[in-house]
Amino acid sequence: MTNLDFRELECFLVLAEELHFGRTGSRLYVSQGRVSQLLRSLETRIGATLVERTSRRVRLTPLGERFVERLRPAYSAVRDSVEEARSAARGIEGRLRIGFQGTADDRITEVIDLFQRRHPGCVTEIVEIPLSDPFGPVYRAEVDVAVVLLPVEEPDLVVGTVFAEHGQTLAVSSRDPLARRSHVSAEELAGVALIGVCGPAPGYWRRAQAPETTPRGVRIPRGPEVRTLQEGLTLTAAGRGGMLLCEPTAASYTRGSVAFVPVTGLPDSMLGLVWHREHETARIRAFAQAFGELS
């Protein structure tokens, strides 16, 4: 196809989403007549009808549907390449929103400082992510990257640097007999009602934070479920159950009503930097590189 016109392709992709010439024009800031003109021009290049329009509805032809499926990823790739080239030409500019669960510790602030020194034209924002929804803010584009508790099994999320590998601790009420122990074994969790996480977090992720069985397969009682870390610690202090936390988080939330007891025999807790595969930008890659250098 000669004389490729990206405006025609963009118009067709938006029309395929809206199936309405007026709304397509509004999104592209052109008139409805201009939308029709761009569509006719593209159909002339293709040599076939892509969109059927009647007085009552607009729909894609079978060829139009197949064309959309093939065109959308290719168009996105070209658009992203242009954006990457523009970013490289003018440096990393704009805004980078960084999500985190729990507490933004020294490692995260050191990475942000390094990134800001390298790219002073990029403004960073730190956003707390709910414990119950580790991946939602990334999918909804509320943050560009996020530091979350592992594991991450979502196929469309990229896992960058994995860091902060620490042993796990059991948070219990200071009145609980376990509070006086120097440590507890993973098998002893069979006698503890573990506080879990509710909400939209995937099941595999929630089970990793509150296992259903001990390593030997003994069932662990279910405690209440919470959406935030603060809710979990409040229920722990009230003696409603115990909650597994990594060592740094436990150290950050030391309080008289809650004791933190090391647990032996469990996999270490780890954090990872994640972002959406389709939303990757030069800013994200630069931040991921800084993260990797300080890990």
Side-chain angles (χ1 to χ4, degrees):
M1 182 167 60
T2 60
N3 299 322
L4 184 65
D5 189 330
F6 277 83
R7 190 63 170 168
E8 295 172 2
L9 300 178
E10 180 184 33
C11 179
F12 174 65
L13 287 174
V14 174
L15 182 59
E17 293 178 4
E18 297 290 348
L19 295 178
H20 190 281
F21 280 72
R23 290 196 297 268
T24 299
S26 297
R27 281 182 56 177
L28 297 176
Y29 299 99
V30 298
S31 67
Q32 184 171 326
R34 178 58 173 161
V35 173
S36 299
Q37 182 184 35
L38 289 169
L39 175 62
R40 285 196 301 270
S41 179
L42 178 60
E43 290 178 330
T44 298
R45 295 178 193 278
I46 298 295
T49 301
L50 301 174
V51 177
E52 293 179 346
R53 176 170 57 171
T54 68
S55 59
R56 300 184 62 181
R57 65 181 301 183
V58 175
R59 67 179 180 182
L60 299 178
T61 65
L63 176 61
E65 292 177 350
R66 293 196 299 273
F67 186 41
V68 166
E69 292 177 0
R70 298 291 300 274
L71 175 62
R72 184 172 284 119
Y75 180 86
S76 297
V78 172
R79 183 191 58 201
D80 292 344
S81 296
V82 171
E83 179 59 31
E84 180 178 350
R86 290 179 61 194
S87 296
R90 65 176 185 259
I92 304 297
E93 297 181 346
R95 179 181 61 160
L96 183 72
R97 297 161 300 172
I98 307 158
F100 69 93
Q101 286 185 302
T103 303
D105 61 12
D106 292 342
R107 172 71 60 81
I108 298 175
T109 55
E110 287 175 6
V111 173
I112 293 174
D113 287 342
L114 174 61
F115 177 79
Q116 291 279 212
R117 290 196 302 272
R118 289 180 176 176
H119 309 288
C122 184
V123 177
T124 56
E125 297 180 4
I126 301 178
V127 180
E128 184 175 1
I129 292 176
L131 181 66
S132 61
D133 193 15
F135 311 134
V138 176
Y139 278 110
R140 296 189 296 270
E142 296 169 358
V143 299
D144 301 301
V145 297
V147 177
V148 299
L149 284 163
L150 298 185
V152 178
E153 298 179 4
E154 312 306 293
D156 42 6
L157 294 184
V158 178
V159 181
T161 301
V162 174
F163 65 104
E165 186 173 349
H166 294 286
Q168 299 200 55
T169 65
L170 177 67
V172 293
S173 167
S174 58
R175 303 185 302 275
D176 192 294
L178 292 177
R180 296 186 291 274
R181 297 275 298 275
S182 61
H183 67 276
V184 297
S185 70
E187 293 303 318
E188 290 179 285
L189 294 178
V192 178
L194 274 189
I195 294 174
V197 180
C198 61
Y204 74 84
W205 188 90
R206 288 187 278 113
R207 287 189 293 272
Q209 314 313 318
E212 297 178 343
T213 63
T214 70
R216 293 182 180 176
V218 180
R219 188 162 186 80
I220 299 174
R222 298 288 86 195
E225 293 187 335
V226 299
R227 294 182 180 274
T228 68
L229 181 58
Q230 290 292 349
E231 288 178 8
L233 291 174
T234 299
L235 290 176
T236 298
R240 297 283 302 282
M243 190 173 189
L244 289 175
L245 300 174
C246 65
E247 291 175 353
T249 300
S252 300
Y253 286 89
T254 299
R255 58 185 67 185
S257 57
V258 178
F260 299 94
V261 186
V263 180
T264 62
L266 285 181
D268 285 347
S269 173
M270 291 182 287
L271 296 173
L273 182 69
V274 302
W275 61 90
H276 198 290
R277 192 178 306 278
E278 294 183 0
H279 301 163
E280 184 174 305
T281 64
R283 289 189 294 273
I284 292 174
R285 286 191 290 272
F287 186 75
Q289 179 180 352
F291 226 112
E293 291 176 11
L294 291 182
S295 64

